[in-house]
Amino acid sequence: MFLRRLMGLFSLDMGIDLGTCNTLVAVRGEGIVLNEPSVVAVRKGTNEVLKTRDGEAVGLAAKAMVGRTPGSITAIRPLKEGVIADFEITQAMLSYFIRKVHGNRAIAHPRVVIAVPFGITAVEKRAVLNSAERAGAQRVYLIDEPKAAAIGAGLPIHEPRASMIVDVGGGTTEVAVLSLSDIAACTSLRVAGDDMDEAIMNYMRRTYNLMIGPQTAENIKIQVGSTAPLPEETKTEVKGRDMISGLPRRAVVTSEEIRESLKEPVGQIIEGVLHTLEQLEPELAADLVDNGICLAGGGALLRGLDTVLAKASGLDVRLADDPLTCVARGTAECLENLDAWAPAMDSDEDEYQ
Ligand code: ADP
Ligand code: MG
C-alpha cells in the first residue's frame, strides 16, 4: 500500500473520457490536459495512421481533414454510437493520446481510469484495457461513463437516494439513475448530437437544395441551434454545394428554421428520457421529484434543452457545470480515491485476465 502511494506521487496517473466525439484526459493535480476529437486519419484500406509533416494525424489534426480527404486517405471516428467500431484504430488513438500527455516526462507507467460507454461487451472492454496497457499504462481501471459523468457533475451518488444523469454525447445519449454508488437503471439511446447535425444537413438539402458537410452542420447547430423560441432570433450564413447547378454557393437560414429541423432528434431524446423514467422503481422515482435531472455532455449545451425536458418530465432539470468535461473530471476524481473506487471498477486484474 505504502509503495503504491509512493509510486502514485511520481507517476502520471490519468483519467480518460473515451467519447465518440471527443477524448479528454485529466491528470491528478493538473486537471484536463488534453481535449481532442476522437478522429484518426488513415491510409484507405489499412490501419496505418497517416503521418504528416506535423506528426501523426490523430485528434484535432484529423478532424480538420474530415470531408476534405483525397481518395487515398480516410478520416475515421473509431467509436460509433457508443461502441468501438474499429479496435485497432481505437487502440492507435488511445496510445497516441496517452503518449502525447506523457510527453517527455521521465516517469512512466501510469495508472489509468478510463470511462467507457455503458453496455459495451467484455471483448470491447478487453480491447480498451489492452490498448491502454500497450500504450504504457501500468494498471487500468474501467468505469461506466454515466457513473463518471455523475461523479463529475457532483451528484450525491453515494447516498441511498436516486440521482439522475442524462449525458447527451455525439453518438449516444446515456440516461442513468444511480444510487449507493452504482447504476440502478440505464438506457443508452442511439440519438444524440450527430443526429442533430444530420437533421440540419437533411433540412438544408430539402429546403435549399444545398448539400453541406457534417462539420458545417455542427457549426450551425452550435451557433444558432435551439429547442424553444430565443429572446432574439438570429440568422446564419451557410456554404455548401448546390444540388442542381453542382456549384458552390451560400444561403442564409434563420434560427427558427434550424429549431424546426432539430425537432425530431430532440423529440426522440425527450421520449427516451421519459421512457426510462416510466420504468423506474417507485422509490427511485420518488427521489427524483426532489433531486431532479442533471444534464451533461456536449449535446446538453443545445439552447433550451433543459427547459423542454423539464416541461416534458415535470421535474427540475439543471445543466452540470462545464458539461463537456464532466466525464473526464469524474474519472480524475476516481483516481484521487482509487482505494475506495477500485473494487467497483473493472480492471486488468480480475475477470479480464
Ligand atoms: P462524446 O461523449 O460522444 O464524445 P461530447 O460529450 O464530447 O460527446 O459531446 C459532443 C457533442 O456535443 C457533439 O455532437 C457536439 O456537436 C455537441 N455540442 C458541443 N457543443 C455544443 C453546443 N454549444 N450546442 C449544441 N451541441 C454542442
Ligand atoms: Mg461522453
Side-chain angles (χ1 to χ4, degrees), residues 91-141:
Q91 196 158 340
M93 182 176 84
L94 200 52
S95 152
Y96 172 83
F97 288 142
I98 293 180
R99 275 183 283 128
K100 187 162 178 183
V101 169
H102 246 251
N104 298 323
R105 304 189 206 211
I107 298 152
H109 309 302
R111 291 178 301 175
V112 179
V113 174
I114 306 180
V116 290
F118 182 74
I120 66 169
T121 63
V123 174
E124 288 171 331
K125 284 185 179 172
R126 184 73 261 177
V128 175
L129 284 171
N130 281 345
S131 321
E133 275 167 7
R134 264 181 232 167
Q138 183 202 27
R139 290 278 281 125
V140 187
Y141 304 87

Side-chain angles (χ1 to χ4, degrees), residues 53-75:
R53 270 187 301 180
D54 305 321
E56 287 168 75
V58 181
L60 284 171
K63 187 171 184 188
M65 297 178 187
V66 173
R68 298 195 172 95
T69 49
S72 58
I73 298 167
T74 23

Side-chain angles (χ1 to χ4, degrees), residues 19-22 168-171 193-194 197 218 221-222 297-299 301-302 324:
T20 53
C21 267
N22 300 300
V168 189
D194 290 345
D197 303 348
E218 183 183 15
K221 171 184 72 179
I222 293 174
L301 288 167
L302 182 69
L324 275 159

Side-chain angles (χ1 to χ4, degrees), residues 51-210:
K51 293 209 172 53
T52 66
R53 270 187 301 180
D54 305 321
E56 287 168 75
V58 181
L60 284 171
K63 187 171 184 188
M65 297 178 187
V66 173
R68 298 195 172 95
T69 49
S72 58
I73 298 167
T74 23
I76 295 182
R77 281 173 56 181
L79 294 117
K80 288 204 181 80
E81 305 205 320
V83 298
I84 295 169
D86 194 316
F87 283 168
E88 287 184 42
I89 301 196
T90 302
Q91 196 158 340
M93 182 176 84
L94 200 52
S95 152
Y96 172 83
F97 288 142
I98 293 180
R99 275 183 283 128
K100 187 162 178 183
V101 169
H102 246 251
N104 298 323
R105 304 189 206 211
I107 298 152
H109 309 302
R111 291 178 301 175
V112 179
V113 174
I114 306 180
V116 290
F118 182 74
I120 66 169
T121 63
V123 174
E124 288 171 331
K125 284 185 179 172
R126 184 73 261 177
V128 175
L129 284 171
N130 281 345
S131 321
E133 275 167 7
R134 264 181 232 167
Q138 183 202 27
R139 290 278 281 125
V140 187
Y141 304 87
L142 302 185
I143 181 170
D144 290 321
E145 219 176 82
K147 201 197 275 188
I151 296 170
L155 300 185
I157 67 162
H158 300 285
E159 295 176 11
R161 288 194 311 143
S163 299
M164 182 162 181
I165 185 108
V166 176
D167 179 347
V168 189
T172 58
T173 297
E174 314 251 316
V175 185
V177 174
L178 298 103
S179 173
L180 290 171
S181 308
D182 216 342
I183 293 176
C186 181
T187 325
S188 182
L189 310 171
R190 300 252 147 134
V191 44
D194 290 345
D195 302 270
M196 299 179 196
D197 303 348
E198 212 163 289
I200 293 175
M201 287 163 73
N202 291 339
Y203 179 83
M204 292 308 295
R205 206 174 49 225
R206 277 200 318 267
T207 317
Y208 288 89
N209 284 324
L210 193 67

Side-chain angles (χ1 to χ4, degrees), residues 316-332:
D316 288 338
V317 178
R318 72 175 180 90
L319 201 61
D321 289 339
D322 202 2
L324 275 159
T325 64
C326 264
V327 172
R329 285 184 289 111
T331 55

